[in-house]
Amino acid sequence: MFEAVRRSTAYDARIVLVGQLTGDFVALNPAQLFLRNVSILSAKGVSRSQFADALDLVARRRIKPVVERAYRLEDAAEAHRVVEAGLATGRLLLKPGH
Protein backbone atom coordinates (compact mmCIF):
# COMPACT_ATOMS: atom_id res chain seq x y z
CA MET A 1 0.00 0.00 0.00
CA PHE A 2 2.98 2.31 0.60
CA GLU A 3 3.65 2.89 -3.11
CA ALA A 4 0.02 3.90 -3.75
CA VAL A 5 0.17 6.29 -0.79
CA ARG A 6 3.45 7.79 -1.99
CA ARG A 7 2.12 8.31 -5.53
CA SER A 8 -1.04 10.02 -4.29
CA THR A 9 0.72 12.35 -1.84
CA ALA A 10 0.38 16.09 -2.49
CA TYR A 11 3.30 18.50 -2.68
CA ASP A 12 4.67 19.53 0.75
CA ALA A 13 2.83 16.59 2.37
CA ARG A 14 3.72 14.30 5.25
CA ILE A 15 3.32 10.54 5.33
CA VAL A 16 2.95 9.28 8.89
CA LEU A 17 3.53 5.60 9.57
CA VAL A 18 2.03 4.42 12.86
CA GLY A 19 2.60 1.00 14.37
CA GLN A 20 3.30 -0.90 11.15
CA LEU A 21 5.94 -3.37 12.33
CA THR A 22 5.33 -6.15 9.82
CA GLY A 23 4.72 -6.37 6.11
CA ASP A 24 6.62 -6.19 2.87
CA PHE A 25 9.97 -4.47 2.41
CA VAL A 26 9.51 -1.11 0.67
CA ALA A 27 12.05 0.02 -1.93
CA LEU A 28 12.20 3.79 -2.19
CA ASN A 29 14.05 6.22 -4.40
CA PRO A 30 14.57 9.35 -2.23
CA ALA A 31 14.19 11.56 -5.31
CA GLN A 32 10.51 10.59 -5.33
CA LEU A 33 10.20 12.41 -2.01
CA PHE A 34 12.58 15.30 -2.69
CA LEU A 35 10.87 16.36 -5.92
CA ARG A 36 7.54 16.75 -4.09
CA ASN A 37 9.02 17.94 -0.77
CA VAL A 38 7.38 15.01 1.06
CA SER A 39 8.36 14.04 4.63
CA ILE A 40 7.99 10.59 6.17
CA LEU A 41 7.49 10.32 9.93
CA SER A 42 7.05 7.21 12.04
CA ALA A 43 5.83 6.22 15.49
CA LYS A 44 5.60 2.87 17.31
CA GLY A 45 2.22 3.83 18.73
CA VAL A 46 0.05 6.72 19.82
CA SER A 47 -1.22 8.18 23.08
CA ARG A 48 -4.92 8.54 23.90
CA SER A 49 -4.63 12.27 23.23
CA GLN A 50 -3.06 11.70 19.80
CA PHE A 51 -5.74 9.13 18.98
CA ALA A 52 -8.45 11.63 20.02
CA ASP A 53 -6.82 14.26 17.79
CA ALA A 54 -6.87 11.82 14.85
CA LEU A 55 -10.54 11.00 15.43
CA ASP A 56 -11.30 14.73 15.50
CA LEU A 57 -9.57 15.17 12.12
CA VAL A 58 -11.70 12.37 10.70
CA ALA A 59 -14.88 13.87 12.21
CA ARG A 60 -14.07 17.26 10.66
CA ARG A 61 -13.30 15.51 7.33
CA ARG A 62 -9.75 16.87 7.28
CA ILE A 63 -8.52 13.32 6.64
CA LYS A 64 -10.35 10.29 5.31
CA PRO A 65 -9.17 6.84 6.34
CA VAL A 66 -9.26 4.14 3.70
CA VAL A 67 -11.66 1.47 4.99
CA GLU A 68 -11.60 -1.54 2.74
CA ARG A 69 -14.30 -3.51 4.51
CA ALA A 70 -16.38 -3.45 7.69
CA TYR A 71 -16.82 -6.63 9.74
CA ARG A 72 -19.22 -7.35 12.57
CA LEU A 73 -17.40 -7.64 15.87
CA GLU A 74 -18.46 -11.28 15.93
CA ASP A 75 -16.42 -11.80 12.73
CA ALA A 76 -13.18 -10.41 14.18
CA ALA A 77 -11.41 -13.75 13.67
CA GLU A 78 -12.12 -13.57 9.92
CA ALA A 79 -10.88 -9.98 9.74
CA HIS A 80 -7.71 -11.02 11.57
CA ARG A 81 -7.20 -13.91 9.11
CA VAL A 82 -7.48 -11.46 6.17
CA VAL A 83 -4.85 -9.16 7.71
CA GLU A 84 -2.47 -12.03 8.56
CA ALA A 85 -2.77 -13.38 5.01
CA GLY A 86 -1.82 -9.98 3.59
CA LEU A 87 -5.11 -9.72 1.69
CA ALA A 88 -6.17 -6.29 3.00
CA THR A 89 -5.24 -3.21 0.96
CA GLY A 90 -6.94 -0.74 3.31
CA ARG A 91 -8.05 -0.76 6.92
CA LEU A 92 -10.56 -3.27 8.20
CA LEU A 93 -13.24 -1.95 10.51
CA LEU A 94 -14.85 -3.92 13.34
CA LYS A 95 -18.39 -2.79 14.13
CA PRO A 96 -20.42 -3.85 17.18
CA GLY A 97 -23.57 -5.85 16.32
CA HIS A 98 -26.96 -4.20 16.37
Side-chain angles (χ1 to χ4, degrees):
M1 178 113 198
F2 179 81
E3 184 59 23
V5 169
R6 187 203 55 78
R7 281 194 318 269
S8 66
T9 305
Y11 288 94
D12 297 322
R14 280 179 251 159
I15 298 172
V16 181
L17 307 173
V18 179
Q20 185 67 35
L21 300 176
T22 61
D24 295 332
F25 176 79
V26 175
L28 177 69
N29 178 346
Q32 297 168 329
L33 303 176
F34 298 146
L35 294 172
R36 297 181 79 124
N37 199 34
V38 172
S39 301
I40 297 179
L41 307 169
S42 66
K44 291 187 293 184
V46 297
S47 68
R48 283 182 184 247
S49 173
Q50 291 167 323
F51 185 64
D53 289 345
L55 290 177
D56 180 59
L57 289 170
V58 172
R60 292 187 294 128
R61 298 180 186 246
R62 297 291 307 243
I63 60 174
K64 182 179 179 189
V66 176
V67 177
E68 177 181 328
R69 183 169 174 200
Y71 289 87
R72 294 178 314 156
L73 192 54
E74 297 82 17
D75 297 325
E78 173 61 16
H80 199 274
R81 186 194 67 73
V82 169
V83 170
E84 283 185 333
L87 300 174
T89 57
R91 295 296 183 196
L92 303 183
L93 178 67
L94 294 176
K95 296 172 70 171
H98 293 87

